[in-house]
Amino acid sequence: MSNADCEIKNASDAIDTESQKITPNNLCEIYRNILGCLRNLNDWCAYKILTERYDEKDIKNIAKAAEKLSHKNDRDIQFMGVFNKYLQASISHFTPDKDGAERLMSKYFVSLVKLKKLMKKIFGMDILMQIKNLSPKVDEQTQNYYDEVVKVILRHKTSIPQSMSVQDEKNWFDNYYICKITPFFANNSLYYEIVFEQATDKSHEKFRRITAFTEQDIMDNYCVALHFEPKSISAFETKISVNIITQWRVSIRPCELVNFAKLLNIGEMNIERKESEYHKLMRELTTNHWTLVDVVDMNESEYGSLKKRVGITPKIMRILDECRYQIALNNGYENRLRYLLCRMRNVVIKDQRGDGVSLPICKESYGFETKPYAYHLRGHYTNLYDLYECINIKGHECELLARSVMNAPTQQGYIFVALEELKRFGDRESIERQIKEYNDKIVNKHKPDAEIAMMGDKVYYKKYASEVVKILENIQQKIGCRHPLADEYSNERVEDYKFAVEYIDDCGKEKILKSTFAQSQIEFVYGAAGTGKSTLIKYIAGLARDKKKIFIANTNAAKQNLQRKIINDDNDIFVR
């Protein structure tokens, strides 16, 4: 047995041993135990493929083997390069909490299944014999449901006609954005539950999303053209309709390419799906599972070969030419360009427009350029896994701690984060060191607000703390001051409103109405679900019906509830 075979077997056996210990309460611990083994397994499998399949003997750094594989024009093995990026970031820089461990293991599970099949296909090697233990956990009923879905998938495989007119393609395919992909294991194979929505710039409600199933490994980076068919299964003692995706392909919206070109100052372009260059490039992305980042990162020979295959009268390739040039310049726009190339969404691209001349990208996203793992693009919450895929974590490690602290208000609902919650970043000394490293990178004109700070056993973002202080000071000034609207809620007005406009049979709410704004310019409406908050707000709004009002809600559901209850007119604005 060769040294590579021994290392692969040892890593695989260690993962199998640890996976058999998994319980609902120890996933994070098991994840930490196998993380290094995952990296070793991927590295040594890549090394074996390079040395035995591609006959590359001069590989001095095993850790670079998977990276080298990503440049091979072989779809079957390219996933190992992306898997390597995720593992590098996870192992070298932080250990996730329980929720993070579950998300990562779900994502890694797909790569491990592919790796198991690949090593069996190429070398006849059996690895990861207990891989089922690492699959996302589902209850027995759900697993039975998935098993029935798989039977339908295997029975109905639709092939696309070799030649199609433009109209036929429109009838066969429709374009969607992938919202979520959930892998599941059934029949000893990997399948996917896909949630998607129509590819438009309009925001969609979750109830408008479509769920379908497939055995095909569909990319979620871009708009995709899907063909799916309705079928039925027997599950939960009834007939259930399910959608089965039979064909897919990358189908980036032409408007996204056009608007992206404007960020590069290329100017107006007319790109259509029916054009030969578009069709050929989308086929290359689909067949090879390439992102546009993979394309702009190609060496000159690979890139030149792709351009020849795509066409000699390029529009899209001209955009990619300019991207390669701008990224090579390293002039302060490369991270934004790389992220947009990795996951193109028209609404995000349009939000990045600025008023610059040389390269019109907005200044508000500059924080992302310098600290991509801590800041977000204007109007868009960046995905951590997309960042791993398109921007090297090296040199940005301390930003992961800052990201966790800065995201706490929206994700956990508080500003001051306890050290206990940050223990995945190390002990107190390690966290202090990372905070100092992060703060040292901030330019002086943005200090102190942009800094991360520690107070006792809490870590916080100074900007948020200072904003809260300003809000509290403003509230203090307004408390004790009679609001100009106070007369609208006098005894007489409430009595008239009560009988002429809106019947109020709750004496508690009536009492609140009569005292509203009498001694303060601020009123807080709070209470448990079902206590009548929305109804009270409706009464308050009704007494000031002819005044301009802004209603602010914390969730879309709360916003919609207010819109249903309050008599809306041109003066009213509802925001979330």
Side-chain angles (χ1 to χ4, degrees):
M1 185 180 290
S2 68
N3 183 45
D5 288 352
C6 287
E7 294 289 348
I8 291 170
K9 183 179 186 306
N10 290 340
S12 175
D13 289 347
I15 293 169
D16 283 343
T17 299
E18 288 297 320
S19 71
Q20 294 179 73
K21 303 176 185 177
I22 291 177
T23 69
N25 299 320
N26 70 355
L27 181 60
C28 191
E29 177 187 351
I30 298 298
Y31 174 85
R32 285 196 295 266
N33 292 342
I34 69 174
L35 200 50
C37 299
L38 294 175
R39 172 76 178 273
N40 287 338
L41 180 65
N42 195 55
D43 285 348
W44 281 104
C45 286
Y47 175 82
K48 182 175 177 67
I49 292 171
L50 281 172
T51 54
E52 298 185 23
R53 186 173 186 175
Y54 292 100
D55 200 30
E56 292 191 20
K57 304 300 183 184
D58 188 25
I59 304 174
K60 297 177 181 178
N61 188 348
I62 301 297
K64 294 289 185 181
E67 185 179 331
K68 290 173 72 72
L69 271 185
S70 64
H71 297 292
K72 300 296 183 183
N73 189 19
D74 188 340
R75 173 182 170 180
D76 287 344
I77 62 176
Q78 284 180 335
F79 75 91
M80 296 176 71
V82 177
F83 191 27
N84 180 61
K85 291 178 183 179
Y86 293 150
L87 290 171
Q88 279 183 319
S90 300
I91 293 170
S92 304
H93 312 303
F94 78 107
T95 302
D97 55 16
K98 183 177 183 298
D99 289 340
E102 290 175 348
R103 287 195 296 271
L104 278 177
M105 283 311 303
S106 176
K107 197 169 188 70
Y108 292 175
F109 175 70
V110 175
S111 296
L112 289 173
V113 172
K114 291 180 181 178
L115 190 60
K116 176 179 174 64
K117 288 187 173 181
L118 181 67
M119 298 305 286
K120 181 68 174 179
K121 176 182 176 182
I122 299 178
F123 303 112
M125 290 184 71
D126 289 312
I127 62 172
L128 300 171
M129 303 304 291
Q130 303 297 326
I131 193 168
K132 281 187 177 180
N133 296 326
L134 297 174
S135 64
K137 296 296 179 283
V138 296
D139 57 47
E140 185 178 353
Q141 278 191 321
T142 303
Q143 186 61 54
N144 291 337
Y145 171 72
Y146 283 153
D147 290 340
E148 292 300 317
V149 168
V150 168
K151 291 178 184 178
V152 176
I153 292 174
L154 296 177
R155 283 200 306 266
H156 299 88
K157 294 190 177 183
T158 305
S159 59
I160 299 179
Q162 292 296 315
S163 179
M164 275 191 177
S165 67
V166 174
Q167 187 59 46
D168 286 340
E169 287 199 12
K170 287 182 178 179
N171 295 335
W172 191 272
F173 290 102
D174 206 351
N175 295 296
Y176 301 93
Y177 286 135
I178 303 293
C179 305
K180 184 180 180 181
I181 297 179
T182 302
F184 64 92
F185 208 62
N187 195 33
N188 292 316
S189 296
L190 188 64
Y191 297 88
Y192 305 92
E193 182 177 2
I194 313 285
V195 179
F196 50 94
E197 63 185 12
Q198 286 287 341
T200 69
D201 289 356
K202 298 178 181 178
S203 60
H204 296 285
E205 301 295 340
K206 288 187 177 181
F207 68 86
R208 295 184 183 276
R209 291 177 177 175
I210 304 168
T211 299
F213 299 89
T214 184
E215 60 181 338
Q216 302 185 53
D217 184 13
I218 300 176
M219 293 177 68
D220 65 351
N221 299 69
Y222 308 117
C223 173
V224 291
L226 298 177
H227 177 74
F228 59 92
E229 300 176 0
K231 304 294 179 182
S232 64
I233 64 170
S234 296
F236 308 119
E237 300 181 352
T238 186
K239 284 282 186 182
I240 300 176
S241 297
V242 295
N243 296 310
I244 305 299
I245 297 173
T246 57
Q247 296 292 341
W248 78 280
R249 66 185 183 207
V250 175
S251 182
I252 298 173
R253 296 170 66 194
C255 61
E256 292 169 335
L257 296 166
V258 169
N259 284 316
F260 185 79
K262 292 176 182 177
L263 296 181
L264 297 166
N265 244 0
I266 292 178
E268 293 291 339
M269 300 188 81
N270 181 27
I271 298 174
E272 298 182 30
R273 282 193 168 97
K274 64 183 180 181
E275 293 173 349
S276 174
E277 180 201 24
Y278 176 90
H279 179 75
K280 290 179 179 179
L281 181 59
M282 296 304 112
R283 185 176 60 191
E284 292 277 353
L285 298 180
T286 305
T287 302
N288 298 294
H289 269 228
W290 284 337
T291 68
L292 293 178
V293 177
D294 296 325
V295 174
V296 299
D297 282 346
M298 288 177 175
N299 60 40
E300 288 297 331
S301 174
E302 293 170 332
Y303 188 68
S305 177
L306 175 63
K307 290 180 73 172
K308 287 181 180 178
R309 295 197 300 272
V310 168
I312 58 175
T313 56
K315 294 179 183 178
I316 306 173
M317 296 308 295
R318 180 186 167 197
I319 297 172
L320 299 180
D321 286 344
E322 184 64 22
C323 279
R324 284 168 64 88
Y325 172 72
Q326 293 291 344
I327 290 172
L329 283 181
N330 194 28
N331 61 0
Y333 299 104
E334 59 273 10
N335 284 339
R336 280 170 282 186
L337 294 179
R338 292 179 70 84
Y339 187 86
L340 294 173
L341 284 169
C342 178
R343 182 171 289 274
M344 294 196 115
R345 292 292 186 271
N346 198 43
V347 291
V348 180
I349 294 170
K350 290 192 295 185
D351 274 347
Q352 306 318 305
R353 289 298 306 273
D355 56 2
V357 177
S358 60
L359 198 60
I361 300 181
C362 66
K363 294 179 180 178
E364 292 88 340
S365 292
Y366 182 72
F368 175 84
E369 190 62 55
T370 55
K371 302 177 186 65
Y373 282 86
Y375 284 83
H376 305 286
L377 292 175
R378 180 172 72 179
H380 174 64
Y381 184 90
T382 54
N383 183 287
L384 192 59
Y385 302 116
D386 293 338
L387 292 171
Y388 289 157
E389 193 169 346
C390 63
I391 300 173
N392 195 330
I393 186 68
K394 188 175 182 180
H396 299 289
E397 297 88 345
C398 60
E399 296 169 24
L400 293 171
L401 171 64
R403 181 187 182 96
S404 184
V405 173
M406 293 164 72
N407 289 346
T410 55
Q411 294 182 353
Q412 284 85 41
Y414 46 77
I415 293 173
F416 296 91
V417 185
L419 286 174
E420 177 67 18
E421 295 182 44
L422 301 171
K423 63 182 180 181
R424 63 189 183 278
F425 295 102
D427 57 18
R428 185 186 186 98
E429 183 179 345
S430 176
I431 289 174
E432 287 177 340
R433 184 171 63 253
Q434 292 176 67
I435 289 174
K436 183 179 185 306
E437 182 183 349
Y438 178 81
N439 291 339
D440 286 346
K441 292 182 178 182
I442 300 171
V443 295
N444 288 331
K445 68 178 182 179
H446 293 146
K447 292 182 178 180
D449 266 9
E451 292 179 318
I452 302 295
M454 185 181 293
M455 181 174 64
D457 64 345
K458 299 288 197 301
V459 181
Y460 64 98
Y461 182 37
K462 286 187 176 180
K463 179 181 179 182
Y464 291 162
S466 63
E467 288 176 349
V468 168
V469 169
K470 290 177 182 176
I471 291 171
L472 293 174
E473 289 175 344
N474 190 29
I475 290 175
Q476 285 181 326
Q477 290 176 2
K478 293 185 179 299
I479 290 177
C481 301
R482 190 172 187 273
H483 197 284
L485 278 177
D487 290 339
E488 300 292 334
Y489 304 93
S490 64
N491 288 342
E492 293 78 10
R493 283 276 291 163
V494 171
E495 290 297 324
D496 290 343
Y497 175 77
K498 188 169 73 170
F499 295 105
V501 182
E502 185 79 43
Y503 182 69
I504 304 173
D505 60 355
D506 186 329
C507 59
K509 290 186 176 67
E510 182 179 338
K511 183 177 179 181
I512 292 172
L513 279 177
K514 292 178 179 179
S515 62
T516 295
F517 299 132
Q519 297 180 343
S520 171
Q521 293 192 32
I522 295 175
E523 297 283 343
F524 291 100
V525 179
Y526 59 91
T531 54
K533 297 186 296 297
S534 298
T535 301
L536 177 60
I537 294 172
K538 172 186 174 182
Y539 296 153
I540 293 173
L543 281 163
R545 186 168 295 164
D546 59 337
K547 303 293 190 297
K548 185 173 183 178
K549 301 176 290 295
I550 299 177
F551 299 93
I552 303 174
N554 190 42
T555 65
N556 274 329
K559 171 187 166 185
Q560 290 165 6
N561 188 37
L562 285 176
Q563 286 177 310
R564 283 193 298 268
K565 287 204 170 187
I566 294 171
I567 299 175
N568 190 14
D569 57 35
D570 294 338
N571 288 325
D572 293 349
I573 300 172
F574 295 84
V575 297
R576 174 183 175 272

